Amino acid sequence: MANKTTVSNPYNFNVNRNTSFSTTINAVLPDKETVLYEAYDYTSKFIDLVIPSGVKVVKVWCFAEVIESDDSFYANAGVTSYLNDKYNKTWGIVDVQANGSDSITKYVGVTPGKTCRLSVLYRADQGSAYLSISYSNKINAHAVDVEDY
């Protein structure tokens, strides 16, 4: 015999014969921007980022700054997806040298529930670098700059 579940609700149903019911549960995204990943120390590595249910667009913000006038100093920050053992799509990247700073914001179309293999790089000689990947209800409604489904 099948397991039965009783649910209390204010509705009355007249059920004739075998009837099945189904529901759809939609993910509710936060109104506040939520950070999935951030980096601010030197590294170059791969990460596996799981896109939360309901998220179709992520915001990528990269920032880099150099506080020395010597052109041999540089800073960069970037994110690139990696698929089938090769680089696929650049989600965002910024490079600066000698007394410079720059930032970039990109909106990336993604697949909810998918695990994305990403190459992340952030480095700063005599300066700083930072990158973040975030989502929210507002970000999810934004037009995309990069499609990486």
Side-chain angles (χ1 to χ4, degrees):
M1 177 178 237
N3 292 334
K4 293 184 178 185
T5 303
T6 302
V7 178
S8 298
N9 65 56
Y11 304 102
N12 291 318
F13 296 98
N14 292 321
V15 179
N16 296 321
R17 299 193 181 124
N18 290 335
T19 303
S20 62
F21 295 92
S22 65
T23 62
T24 302
I25 299 173
N26 294 322
V28 177
L29 300 181
D31 289 329
K32 181 181 176 191
E33 190 167 326
T34 302
V35 176
L36 281 172
Y37 181 81
E38 65 182 343
Y40 40 82
D41 290 327
Y42 172 77
T43 198
S44 175
K45 65 182 179 180
F46 288 99
I47 63 166
D48 291 318
L49 183 72
V50 178
I51 304 301
S53 179
V55 174
K56 297 177 185 174
V57 180
V58 294
K59 176 182 167 184
V60 176
W61 186 72
C62 301
F63 169 81
E65 151 182 76
V66 176
I67 56 174
E68 290 289 332
S69 59
D70 186 335
D71 279 343
S72 66
F73 292 110
Y74 68 95
N76 54 22
V79 180
T80 304
S81 65
Y82 199 75
L83 183 64
N84 298 325
D85 295 326
K86 57 185 167 184
Y87 292 100
N88 187 31
K89 303 264 183 143
T90 299
W91 286 20
I93 194 163
V94 62
D95 291 297
V96 295
Q97 282 183 289
N99 283 332
S101 69
D102 199 3
S103 68
I104 190 167
T105 301
K106 293 284 186 175
Y107 293 86
V108 182
V110 293
T111 302
K114 180 181 176 183
T115 299
C116 298
R117 182 85 168 148
L118 301 175
S119 168
V120 295
L121 169 68
Y122 35 100
R123 174 194 171 135
D125 293 332
Q126 300 299 318
S128 60
Y130 176 81
L131 68 87
S132 68
I133 302 171
S134 56
Y135 71 98
S136 71
N137 198 30
K138 183 177 178 180
I139 291 170
N140 220 40
H142 202 284
V144 298
D145 301 308
V146 179
E147 294 180 352
D148 199 0
Y149 303 105

